[in-house]
Amino acid sequence: MFFLSGLPPCFSRACCQLHPWVAEAMVLVLQALLPCFCTLLSLELLPGVEPAVPLEDFYPFGQDVGDSQTIAQDDGGSRLVKISVAFPFFGDRHTGLYVNNNGLVSFLREVSQFTPVAFPIAGDRRVVAPFWADVDNRRAGRVFYRESQEPSSLRRASGEVKTYFSEFPNFNATWVLIATWHQVTFFGGSSLTPVNTFQVVLITDGELSFTIFQYNNITWTTGMHSSSGGNLAGLGGIAAQAGFNAGDGKRYFNIPGSRTADVVNVEGTTNVGQPGKWVFRIDDANVEVGSCNDSASVCQHLRPCLNGGQCIDDCITGNPSFTCSCLAGFTGQRCQIDVDECASYPCQNGGTCADRIHSFLCHCPPGYTGSQCEADIDECKDRPCLNDALCVQGAGTFTCVCEPGYTSVLCEKDMNECESQPCLNGGECMDLVANFTCVCPAAFTGTLCETELVVLQVNSTEPENQTGLCGNANCEKNWICENTSSGIHICTCAPGFYGDECEEECLCQNGGVCVDINGTCECQSGYTGLYCQFEVTQTPCSHSRTCPDGGPCLEYGGAYLCTCQTSAAELDPKDLYPYVQPRSVCDSSPCLNGGYCYERDGGYTCECKYGYWGKHCEKVRLNTCASAPCRNGGSCKEEAGSYRCVCPYRFTGKHCEVGKPDPCASSPCLNGGTCFHYIGKYKCECTEHFGGRHCEINRSSVQTSAGEQTVCHHFVMSKSH
C-alpha cells in the first residue's frame, strides 16, 4: 500500500478521515474515485473476489474436443504446426507456429530455452508467453492445442474482442488457436509437486489479431535447474516471464511481476476487470491492451508507476485498482525495483558481472573475451613459441612443447646438453643443437670417453718389447693387435676382414685389400674394378673401337683400355666406359632411385640402392631405425629387416632403457682414493701414501727386511667389479 504525499495513513479500510488542510482540488479527485482512499490504492482484491479463472470458463480443451498433445518431454513441444490461415503478428503473417512445453507459443522457431529472458528480445524471437518457465510434463500434466473454426468458439472469441476493444464493434473471428497447459509441474519436480494450469487463445479475422491469457491455478514459478535456481517447491531463482514480444527489440509487454516472485500471483491480476485474465491486441504497430473505459481511473489521476512503467486500470467493480507494466530492467508493484541482471550469473569462465539498467557488463579474466566471457582467446594465434616448437592452447594460457635441444617457456633457449657433464674421464664436452660430442684425452675413447686405452708400463721403446706386450691384449675374432709408438695398443681388423666389428669378409681379388669399414677395395697395379676383378691390357679402346673378344673397355690411368675379367664375378656397370656399351634393355634406365640395371636372359633386373625395393626400385623400404628406438644415447643398427641397439656404457636392454648399477656407488676406494668408471668396472686412484686394489695399503708401514722403506714409483692400477 502507498499514499499520496502529505496524506496520513488510513487507520481503517472501512473509513478514511480527510484532514481539513487537504486541497480542494484533491478532494474533487477523491470524490470522483471512491469514498475510501485506502481501498482505492490497495493492490489487493476485496474479499469475495475470486482470484482466478475457473476451468469451466476456459475455452474447451482436451482429447474429448479433438486436441492434440505435445510429447511428454522436458523442453520439447509440438514441433512445427502448419495452420490454415496467415496469422497477423506485428506486421508479419505466419502460416506456422510452435506450441512449446515451456509455456509459450512461438513463430519462426521452437523455443527450448527453459530459463526465461526479460522482454524485449531482438533477433526475431516472436513469442506469445502466458507463462514462460521450465515445464516438465514427463512428471505431471499435459499440454493440449488445436486450431479451430468451430462456430461456438468463433462466436465467443468475437464477443470478447468486442467487449474489451469497443472500437471494433463489427469484429468477427474466423480462426482461433487454443493451447492449454493443464496441471503441469516444473523440472526437478514429481507427480506430488505443485502444478500450474493456464491457457492462451490466439484470435484473428485475417486482418486484426488478439490474444487472451487465462490463469486458473499458479503455484510454482521456477524450475530446479542450476541456471534457474528454483527450490523444491518450484519457487525462487529466476521466475516465469509472462507477456509477448514482437522480436524487434522495441514492441513488447511484460505482465507485472514477470521474472520475480510476484508472478506467482498472476492469477489475481488483470487488465480487463476479471482476475486471472489478460487481453491484448498483437497485430498493430503499437502495443494495445484492453480497457474497461471506467471514468474513475486510478492511473489518470494518481500516476503511481515509476521509472517509465505503464499504468493499467483493473476496473474491478467495487474495487478500482491498477497494475504497473514495467520497462525492461525494472520490477515491483510500482516498477520501483531495478532488476539485478547479474542474479542469473550470466558471466562465464570466472567473469565478474556488473549490473546495469536492463543490462549487465562482464569483466572477463585473462584468456577470455565476449559479452559473457564465453570465448577462449587463442593464445597460439600469433605463434609465440620459437624454434619450431608446438603451441598447445590452454584456458587463458598456452604451453610450448619444445623441439629436442631447446628449452624455456617459449623454447627460446638452446639447451646445454653439456650441463649434466656427460663426458667421463676428463673428456671435454662440446654443446651442439639437441646433441653433444666429447673430446677425449689421449688415454680414453668412446662416445662418452668411457673406454680406457690400456697404458703399458715399459722401460724401452724397442719394437720387439712392444710386440711382446701386445700378446696380452684381448682382441676378438678377426681382429689383430697393433702397438703404437706412444706405448699403447689398438685392435684392428685382420687382413681379409672389414666392418664395425670386423665381421665382413673382404671380397677383393688379385691381391686387392679392403681399406675401410665399408670394404672398399684398393687394387694392385694393373687391376681395376669394384673387386679388382679386371686385368688391364695395353690395348686402347673407344666407342667406335671395341675390345677383342668383347672385353670391357674401362678407364684406367686417365685412358680407356681393354680389360679381361679374371673371375666369374658379375660386371658392374659403374666400371664400364659409357659410350662402348652395346644397346640393351637397360638403355631406357628402367631402374629408379639410383638402382643399377643388369641384363638377364633377354630381360633385365634392378639392383636397388639401400632403402628401396621393387622390380624398378620404386618402393621405399621402411627404415627400422627411422623411429629412433634406441634410448639414452644408444646407436641403432639395422639387421635382417629388424634393428639392434648398441648401448653406451652403463645402459643395457633392447632399447638401452635399463641403467646398470654405478660400480662407484658403494665407495670402494679407501683412504681418500678416487673411484673412476671403467666399462662396467671401476679403478681406484690412490693418494701418494696409500696403494693396493682399494687403496687399503699404507705405504709408510711397508718396510724392507733391512729396515729401509720401499717406495714404489711404478704400479699397476687394479680394476674390479
Side-chain angles (χ1 to χ4, degrees):
M1 185 178 296
F2 60 93
F3 308 96
L4 288 175
S5 176
L7 291 180
C10 298
F11 296 99
S12 170
R13 294 175 63 96
C15 181
C16 294
Q17 299 294 328
L18 296 179
H19 288 259
W21 45 264
V22 178
E24 291 184 4
M26 183 58 68
V27 172
L28 294 176
V29 171
L30 296 177
Q31 289 176 344
L33 294 175
L34 278 176
C36 183
F37 187 67
C38 296
T39 303
L40 173 66
L41 296 180
S42 173
L43 294 179
E44 299 176 358
L45 298 173
L46 284 175
V49 177
E50 185 67 30
V53 178
L55 280 182
E56 54 267 26
D57 289 346
F58 272 29
Y59 281 66
F61 68 92
Q63 292 178 324
D64 293 342
V65 294
D67 278 2
S68 299
Q69 293 185 58
T70 65
I71 300 172
Q73 176 184 359
D74 180 40
D75 304 327
S78 65
R79 300 186 179 178
L80 178 63
V81 178
K82 293 187 178 295
I83 57 178
S84 57
V85 298
F87 186 81
F89 186 73
F90 289 104
D92 288 310
R93 293 177 178 270
H94 299 279
T95 58
L97 51 79
Y98 301 83
V99 179
N100 303 279
N101 283 354
N102 285 338
L104 67 166
V105 174
S106 60
F107 303 99
L108 298 182
R109 62 178 62 88
E110 186 177 60
V111 178
S112 59
Q113 182 175 340
F114 50 84
T115 301
V117 180
F119 298 152
I121 311 173
D124 280 339
R125 295 294 292 271
R126 305 178 185 182
V127 299
V128 177
F131 203 81
W132 182 9
D134 194 0
V135 173
D136 190 350
N137 62 341
R138 298 173 302 175
R139 309 303 180 194
R142 290 179 288 180
V143 181
F144 299 101
Y145 65 93
R146 77 177 186 279
E147 63 171 338
S148 176
Q149 293 176 311
E150 193 268 328
S152 61
S153 296
L154 297 180
R155 282 195 301 270
R156 176 177 174 179
S158 300
E160 295 205 72
V161 170
K162 294 174 184 177
T163 298
Y164 303 128
F165 293 89
S166 57
E167 64 268 36
F168 302 116
N170 298 319
F171 178 83
N172 287 305
T174 58
W175 177 92
V176 295
L177 175 90
I178 304 165
T180 309
W181 287 259
H182 184 241
Q183 296 183 349
V184 292
T185 193
F186 51 88
F187 176 80
S190 68
S191 60
L192 302 177
T193 49
V195 294
N196 291 344
T197 298
F198 54 93
Q199 185 179 73
V200 63
V201 182
L202 301 183
I203 306 168
T204 186
D205 65 352
E207 296 297 330
L208 304 175
S209 57
F210 303 86
T211 185
I212 300 174
F213 297 172
Q214 302 195 104
Y215 301 95
N216 169 259
N217 184 40
I218 301 298
T219 59
W220 63 267
T221 63
T222 317
M224 291 179 62
H225 190 275
S226 58
S227 65
S228 301
N231 58 25
L232 293 173
L235 301 174
I238 301 175
Q241 168 77 38
F244 58 82
N245 185 74
D248 57 4
K250 299 177 181 179
R251 293 173 291 180
Y252 66 97
F253 187 86
N254 290 314
I255 287 182
S258 291
R259 297 182 82 243
T260 73
D262 293 338
V263 78
V264 75
N265 298 317
V266 68
E267 62 192 12
T269 65
T270 181
N271 68 330
V272 292
Q274 181 179 348
K277 190 168 191 174
W278 289 78
V279 183
F280 308 99
R281 180 182 174 187
I282 54 176
D283 66 89
D284 201 16
N286 299 314
V287 174
E288 296 185 21
V289 298
S291 173
C292 57
N293 296 322
D294 193 330
S295 60
S297 170
V298 176
C299 296
Q300 179 181 354
H301 297 289
L302 300 182
R303 300 179 182 177
C305 302
L306 305 177
N307 295 309
Q310 180 181 358
C311 183
I312 303 167
D313 283 300
D314 289 344
C315 305
I316 300 174
T317 303
N319 183 33
S321 61
F322 67 93
T323 53
C324 293
S325 178
C326 305
L327 292 178
F330 294 96
T331 187
Q333 291 181 333
R334 298 176 59 204
C335 306
Q336 76 277 18
I337 300 173
D338 181 4
V339 175
D340 183 6
E341 279 79 14
C342 290
S344 61
Y345 303 101
C347 302
Q348 304 174 28
N349 298 306
T352 303
C353 183
D355 181 42
R356 296 185 173 183
I357 295 178
H358 187 44
S359 67
F360 59 88
L361 178 65
C362 289
H363 299 285
C364 302
Y368 293 94
T369 186
S371 61
Q372 294 179 271
C373 307
E374 73 281 3
D376 185 1
I377 296 174
D378 184 4
E379 286 82 5
C380 289
K381 181 179 180 181
D382 296 330
R383 299 184 178 180
C385 302
L386 306 176
N387 296 309
D388 297 324
L390 173 66
C391 183
V392 179
Q393 169 73 8
T397 184
F398 65 92
T399 302
C400 293
V401 181
C402 302
E403 287 288 302
Y406 293 95
T407 185
S408 194
V409 176
L410 301 179
C411 305
E412 72 275 16
K413 292 183 180 179
D414 181 5
M415 185 181 296
N416 184 4
E417 283 79 13
C418 290
E419 188 173 0
S420 61
Q421 299 180 336
C423 302
L424 306 175
N425 299 308
E428 180 183 359
C429 183
M430 306 294 291
D431 182 41
L432 305 173
V433 176
N435 202 354
F436 66 92
T437 185
C438 292
V439 180
C440 303
F444 294 90
T445 187
T447 304
L448 303 176
C449 306
E450 72 276 10
T451 303
E452 182 180 15
L453 299 174
V454 178
V455 178
L456 302 176
Q457 302 295 330
V458 297
N459 296 322
S460 172
T461 58
E462 295 180 3
E464 58 270 24
N465 291 339
Q466 296 180 26
T467 303
L469 292 172
C470 195
N472 297 325
N474 185 22
C475 292
E476 302 290 338
K477 180 182 178 181
N478 301 333
W479 295 70
I480 60 172
C481 176
E482 293 184 358
N483 294 304
T484 67
S485 59
S486 59
I488 63 175
H489 83 276
I490 58 174
C491 293
T492 61
C493 293
F497 295 92
Y498 71 94
D500 289 336
E501 306 291 336
C502 301
E503 73 278 12
E504 300 290 342
E505 186 174 356
C506 183
L507 300 178
C508 302
Q509 304 173 22
N510 299 309
V513 294
C514 293
V515 294
D516 55 29
I517 62 172
N518 295 319
T520 303
C521 291
E522 185 177 275
C523 302
Q524 291 191 1
S525 178
Y527 292 91
T528 188
L530 187 63
Y531 303 113
C532 308
Q533 73 270 36
F534 296 109
E535 182 179 1
V536 182
T537 70
Q538 299 302 313
T539 305
C541 57
S542 66
H543 177 67
S544 59
R545 184 179 179 182
T546 60
C547 296
D549 302 324
C553 180
L554 302 177
E555 183 182 11
Y556 184 82
Y560 286 95
L561 301 173
C562 291
T563 63
C564 297
Q565 187 170 357
T566 61
S567 70
E570 292 288 341
L571 294 179
D572 193 319
K574 294 188 298 181
D575 295 327
L576 303 180
Y577 180 58
Y579 298 104
V580 300
Q581 301 304 309
R583 296 189 179 277
S584 71
V585 291
C586 289
D587 289 347
S588 61
S589 301
C591 302
L592 306 175
N593 297 308
Y596 300 120
C597 180
Y598 296 93
E599 286 191 74
R600 296 277 188 182
D601 301 326
Y604 67 92
T605 184
C606 291
E607 181 177 306
C608 302
K609 281 191 173 182
Y610 180 78
Y612 297 92
W613 66 288
K615 181 178 180 181
H616 301 100
C617 307
E618 74 278 11
K619 299 180 181 179
V620 178
R621 187 183 304 278
L622 179 64
N623 183 353
T624 56
C625 286
S627 61
C630 303
R631 299 165 58 182
N632 296 308
S635 58
C636 182
K637 295 185 178 296
E638 291 195 37
E639 288 185 352
S642 184
Y643 65 90
R644 175 173 61 89
C645 290
V646 180
C647 302
Y649 168 61
R650 290 193 59 205
F651 290 95
T652 185
K654 181 178 180 180
H655 301 104
C656 307
E657 74 277 13
V658 181
K660 295 179 181 178
D662 183 355
C664 287
S666 61
S667 302
C669 302
L670 307 176
N671 299 308
T674 302
C675 182
F676 289 93
H677 300 291
Y678 181 75
I679 316 179
K681 304 177 183 179
Y682 68 89
K683 67 178 181 180
C684 291
E685 183 174 303
C686 306
T687 61
E688 61 179 342
H689 299 298
F690 293 88
R693 181 177 179 182
H694 299 104
C695 306
E696 75 276 14
I697 301 174
N698 189 338
R699 293 180 184 173
S700 61
S701 64
V702 178
Q703 303 292 328
T704 64
S705 58
E708 296 179 349
Q709 188 177 40
T710 300
V711 178
C712 180
H713 294 285
H714 297 284
F715 61 95
V716 178
M717 299 177 188
S718 64
K719 307 174 183 69
S720 175
H721 288 286

